[in-house]
Amino acid sequence: MTPLLSVVDLVKHYPAGGARKVLALDGISFDLAEGEVLGVVGESGCGKSTLGRTIMRLARPTSGEIRFRGTDLAGLKGKTLKAARAEIQMVFQDPFGSLNPRHSVATIVGEPLVVHGRPDRAARVRELLDLVGLPQTAAARLPHEFSGGQRQRIAIARALALSPRILVADEAVSALDVSIQSQIINLFAELRRELGLSMIFISHDLSVVRHVSDRIAVMYFGKFVETAPAEDLFRAPLHPYTRALMSAIPKLPGSAAASGSSRRIVLKGDVPNLAFRPDGCLFHPRCYAMRDRCRHEAPELDPAPGETGDARLCACHYAGEDLSDTGASGS
Amino acid sequence: MLRIEDLCLEAGSGVLVDGIDLAVDAGEMLGLVGESGCGKTITALSVLGLLPRQAVRVTQGRILFNGRDIASLDDDEMNTVRGNDISMIFQEPMTSLNPVMTLADQIGEGLALHRDLHGARQASEVDRLLALVGLPNGPEQRRRYPHQLSGGQRQRVMIAMALACEPALLIADEPTTALDVTIQAQILDLIGEMRARFGMACILVTHDLGVVAETCDTVAVMYAGRIVEQGPVADVFRTPRHRYTEALLRTIPAANAPGAMLPAISGTVPQPGARPPGCAFAERCHEALPQCAGQRPPRDGTKEHFAMCWNPAS
Ligand SMILES: Nc1ncnc2c1ncn2[C@@H]1O[C@H](COP(=O)(O)OP(=O)(O)OP(=O)(O)O)[C@@H](O)[C@H]1O
Ligand SMILES: Nc1ncnc2c1ncn2[C@@H]1O[C@H](COP(=O)(O)OP(=O)(O)OP(=O)(O)O)[C@@H](O)[C@H]1O
Ligand code: SF4
Ligand SMILES: [Mg+2]
Ligand SMILES: [Mg+2]
């Protein structure tokens, strides 16, 4: 079966002064099935938003393919491109920056309906406001009259206007307080169940990602370093970077997570600068499990030890090894 | 250090903030949490005299900073307080970064103004601050413009700007929403260090209860323009009194089985202007008593940990 979306060896460079380049995406490949939710997590600046924007074709990929139902989006023009565009929508990271301050909420939410010539705009806008939990009186107001979380819901309503097949949600719930967050997460779950909506769910918040995703991709330095079914990843993270991320999740007093006594792994060294690429494993300058081989030889995103299919992939020479004797508990 | 007394804020649509009392002392960290739209940001903005003038007015109350009422200062006086004494990290970085200035110029501006640093000393302080927020490689980093940064990088530049002034009080509005856990931990450690080093006080506005649990001394829970519960963090999390706090703690993804529907609080916050005279949560509360919506709930609990609830959870 053709996957709904297929990303093949996607590369995106930004100029970084002189001859240097920021390698925001460095050969990303994955498939997204109908109704599937892929969570993408990773450090600030590792390329998550760039991935979303490139899939939306808001940024031109340097190389690689993005196929929707088997057709490369780069080859589409005119009507077919417009139709394909309606199928993939995005909720942007900065809710305020993406809303026109001079337009009313009704205009903003209804805009995609106008662009794509859909009928019954007013009724659909009312429906969308209900869906995201905004009062009908919001329709006539301007974005600046709303709080941060309310603006995020306006952005979500707009992204859902055309009933897309795929929603790219870039930090869509990060700015929301937990009770609204849970409403929106439940809303996504419902849309998925009822409409078979697929999602690429970008977030730095691991507990939210775990909650909504079927599969999770951990991103580091423009690459996926580990992909796995959500539960497997949390039960047994394999990549040293994934392990460090997990150990840094803030714990709630009294919650199940707090009773597990895993120690926080503090990563040494600086957050990477995407214009300077280390040799060997991209993670080796900060890796607490690094050995000599890691300095020179770059690990591939391969099936994890003991796995045959591509359900669990990990890019580490020592994937999943017990690291307790290498000072893995951190500094 | 900062004491807000009976603050009321009003807009055309109605009363936004209704009689808030808050206090923070030197070195203390207060968490301010609450449902989206409950008034956290405008409360923070009022402390800095940054309310949108035409739209939102202070109708009542005082804001005392080291004993001085800063609500009545004029623009010039307020400008000195801002930055020198009180800094703010804003919720939406792009709205407070200047798109046509390099990072060096934006951060340097504050250093020149508030710490009299210029030239090479300014440049090396800019580098140091950028490295502290996880943006190393000074010379190259300094020349970048906001649009060349990722969302979280912008947020960190703003944090560097706010910390550059070494303020006595830092108001941080959702400072780490766009940041992953590792860098979030680094930023929170940095704030903690500044508290320890020169007694910086901090008001942390956030929806992340995990962050509050790990970093704050006290927490104030806001709902529909009022503070409904306040107390030491450990007490409030272990034994919430207000039914809203109780419900809030149950909605956290980490407190629930993965994939399960989250126990969302059904309904929405009443809009400003449509709030009942009593407890604004009554409509959505499973434990509401007949008098809840009609009469303002009494203050229940101790001086340290109290809630405004007719039927407290503990
Ligand atoms: N300029 C304005 N004019 C009119 N009403 C406003 C204005 N700014 C904010 N409000 C209203 O004031 C209320 C409180 O807003 P505020 O931004 O303080 O919320 P918040 O608690 O910070 O929420 P969030 O967590 O979503 O950021 C909201 O109902 C909002 O609609
Ligand atoms: N227009 C641009 N020019 C140059 N570099 C850029 C540009 N846009 C982004 N970058 C860089 O590309 C990298 C990836 O950015 P991206 O926005 O994809 O990160 P992200 O993973 O979404 O981070 P965050 O979690 O902070 O939002 C960052 O290091 C950023 O500095
Ligand atoms: S390959 Fe080596 S450096 Fe890279 S993550 Fe694995 S152990 Fe660490
Ligand atoms: Mg981003
Ligand atoms: Mg706010």
Side-chain angles (χ1 to χ4, degrees):
Chain A
M1 207 182 81
T2 334
L4 185 59
L5 183 80
S6 220
V7 170
V8 187
D9 206 13
L10 197 61
V11 174
K12 174 70 188 171
H13 295 167
Y14 293 111
R20 267 203 315 276
K21 295 184 181 81
V22 174
L23 294 162
L25 298 179
D26 190 13
I28 300 252
S29 302
F30 66 90
D31 287 344
L32 186 70
E34 196 92 45
E36 186 185 26
V37 178
L38 174 73
V40 179
V41 298
E43 212 156 23
S44 172
C46 72
K48 303 182 296 297
S49 297
T50 304
L51 177 63
R53 294 174 53 84
T54 317
I55 289 172
M56 291 291 296
R57 299 202 64 84
L58 295 169
R60 186 185 290 278
T62 307
S63 65
E65 278 180 23
I66 302 152
R67 296 197 205 115
F68 181 69
R69 295 195 202 284
T71 319
D72 188 358
L73 289 181
L76 297 183
K77 283 199 190 61
K79 262 207 187 119
T80 39
L81 177 62
K82 196 168 160 184
R85 278 230 161 119
E87 304 277 13
I88 312 177
Q89 293 289 315
M90 181 161 176
V91 180
F92 295 91
Q93 185 167 7
D94 179 354
F96 199 45
S98 67
L99 304 177
N100 187 327
R102 284 180 302 276
H103 286 172
S104 73
V105 170
T107 309
I108 292 170
V109 173
E111 190 202 60
L113 300 168
V114 176
V115 173
H116 289 268
R118 301 279 169 93
D120 292 331
R121 179 154 52 99
R124 178 72 180 144
V125 168
R126 280 197 295 277
E127 203 176 283
L128 288 161
L129 291 180
D130 268 350
L131 199 62
V132 298
L134 286 169
Q136 293 300 330
T137 51
R141 293 161 65 194
L142 298 173
H144 75 255
E145 295 173 42
F146 293 87
S147 74
Q150 291 164 333
R151 290 202 273 257
Q152 187 63 295
R153 284 185 271 167
I154 298 170
I156 293 171
R158 177 179 57 185
L160 293 174
L162 296 170
S163 317
R165 298 308 306 155
I166 301 177
L167 186 67
V168 179
D170 190 1
E171 304 284 2
V173 299
S174 310
L176 306 176
D177 61 278
V178 275
S179 67
I180 306 288
Q181 199 176 59
S182 57
Q183 286 176 11
I184 300 282
I185 291 174
N186 289 348
L187 168 69
F188 286 151
E190 240 164 74
L191 291 168
R192 207 180 143 192
R193 217 178 28 239
E194 282 164 23
L195 314 170
L197 182 72
S198 303
M199 283 178 69
I200 297 176
F201 192 91
I202 299 170
S203 177
H204 64 275
D205 188 334
L206 287 161
S207 50
V208 170
V209 170
R210 173 187 199 173
H211 207 87
V212 301
S213 311
D214 301 306
R215 206 153 47 101
I216 296 177
V218 181
M219 198 166 170
Y220 188 82
F221 215 124
K223 277 183 181 298
F224 284 176
V225 295
E226 180 165 4
T227 61
E231 269 326 289
D232 295 352
L233 189 80
F234 273 80
R235 193 175 337 107
L238 297 177
H239 198 282
Y241 177 63
T242 314
R243 292 179 171 185
L245 276 184
M246 304 259 173
S247 77
I249 302 174
K251 312 283 189 294
L252 282 170
S255 79
S259 53
S261 64
S262 59
R263 278 198 31 215
R264 176 174 288 190
I265 304 170
V266 181
L267 291 179
K268 62 181 185 220
D270 286 329
V271 178
N273 179 335
L274 272 67
F276 294 94
R277 236 182 119 75
D279 285 333
C281 174
L282 295 173
F283 186 55
H284 92 256
R286 298 170 75 197
C287 184
Y288 49 85
M290 195 264 293
R291 297 178 212 175
D292 218 29
R293 179 180 173 199
C294 307
R295 281 186 228 274
H296 319 291
E297 198 182 320
E300 297 285 331
L301 187 61
D302 285 331
E307 298 271 339
T308 44
D310 51 9
R312 287 213 75 168
L313 303 177
C314 181
C316 170
H317 295 310
Y318 306 104
E321 281 185 24
D322 182 11
L323 304 165
S324 50
D325 54 350
T326 55
S329 52
S331 47
Chain B
M1 179 182 291
L2 180 78
R3 177 174 296 281
I4 299 179
E5 290 175 356
D6 199 23
L7 181 72
C8 293
L9 302 174
E10 221 174 295
S13 48
V15 176
L16 301 181
V17 163
D18 185 11
I20 277 194
D21 296 304
L22 276 181
V24 253
D25 277 326
E28 210 179 42
M29 186 126 163
L30 168 78
L32 188 58
V33 302
E35 187 128 343
S36 179
C38 71
K40 303 180 297 288
T41 297
I42 54 168
T43 301
L45 291 177
S46 70
V47 174
L48 286 123
L50 289 177
L51 289 172
R53 278 277 158 81
Q54 302 303 320
V56 183
R57 296 179 320 278
V58 180
T59 50
Q60 194 179 309
R62 298 196 301 169
I63 301 169
L64 301 171
F65 182 71
N66 287 329
R68 189 157 73 128
D69 188 358
I70 51 173
S72 56
L73 296 183
D74 65 31
D75 283 358
D76 281 348
E77 292 169 314
M78 202 58 221
N79 265 332
T80 356
V81 172
R82 265 198 303 268
N84 265 352
D85 299 320
I86 311 178
S87 280
M88 178 150 175
I89 299 171
F90 294 91
Q91 192 170 4
E92 280 155 349
M94 251 343 226
T95 51
S96 47
L97 292 176
N98 185 334
V100 298
M101 271 169 93
T102 62
L103 303 193
D105 292 344
Q106 321 222 3
I107 300 172
E109 206 173 45
L111 291 174
L113 208 61
H114 300 293
R115 284 167 63 194
D116 202 22
L117 285 178
H118 304 273
R121 284 178 54 219
Q122 187 191 86
S124 71
E125 180 65 3
V126 168
D127 289 353
R128 191 185 71 90
L129 287 163
L130 284 173
L132 278 177
V133 296
L135 293 169
N137 304 92
E140 193 201 347
Q141 204 69 254
R142 257 187 274 141
R143 282 194 301 272
R144 298 175 83 183
Y145 290 91
H147 73 88
Q148 297 176 320
L149 303 176
S150 76
Q153 288 167 340
R154 285 176 197 151
Q155 204 168 31
R156 286 181 274 151
V157 168
M158 215 174 33
I159 293 169
M161 281 166 68
L163 297 180
C165 313
E166 303 193 333
L169 171 67
L170 175 71
I171 301 178
D173 193 359
E174 309 277 9
T176 58
T177 38
L179 303 180
D180 52 278
V181 280
T182 49
I183 186 79
Q184 167 173 293
Q186 192 177 330
I187 299 285
L188 295 173
D189 285 352
L190 184 60
I191 292 175
E193 220 173 87
M194 296 184 68
R195 290 168 59 199
R197 202 147 48 88
F198 50 89
M200 182 177 79
C202 181
I203 299 178
L204 180 70
V205 178
T206 180
H207 65 266
D208 190 332
L209 296 170
V211 168
V212 172
E214 282 206 347
T215 59
C216 295
D217 306 306
T218 52
V219 56
V221 183
M222 245 179 121
Y223 190 82
R226 288 184 195 148
I227 288 178
V228 296
E229 176 157 6
Q230 189 168 344
V233 166
D235 294 357
V236 173
F237 279 66
R238 284 226 175 79
T239 51
R241 287 183 200 275
H242 199 281
R243 296 293 178 175
Y244 171 64
T245 316
E246 188 192 37
L248 195 63
L249 288 169
R250 272 206 293 259
T251 58
I252 302 167
N256 288 278
M261 283 302 242
L262 297 173
I265 308 173
S266 57
T268 51
V269 196
Q271 291 302 296
R275 292 173 185 159
C279 175
F281 186 60
E283 199 186 22
R284 304 169 74 188
C285 181
H286 293 303
E287 308 293 334
L289 301 174
Q291 73 268 34
C292 287
Q295 290 173 48
R296 201 143 172 173
R299 186 169 150 146
D300 152 86
T302 62
K303 190 163 161 289
E304 282 71 42
H305 180 189
F306 58 86
M308 317 294 181
C309 183
W310 280 110
N311 186 13
S314 60

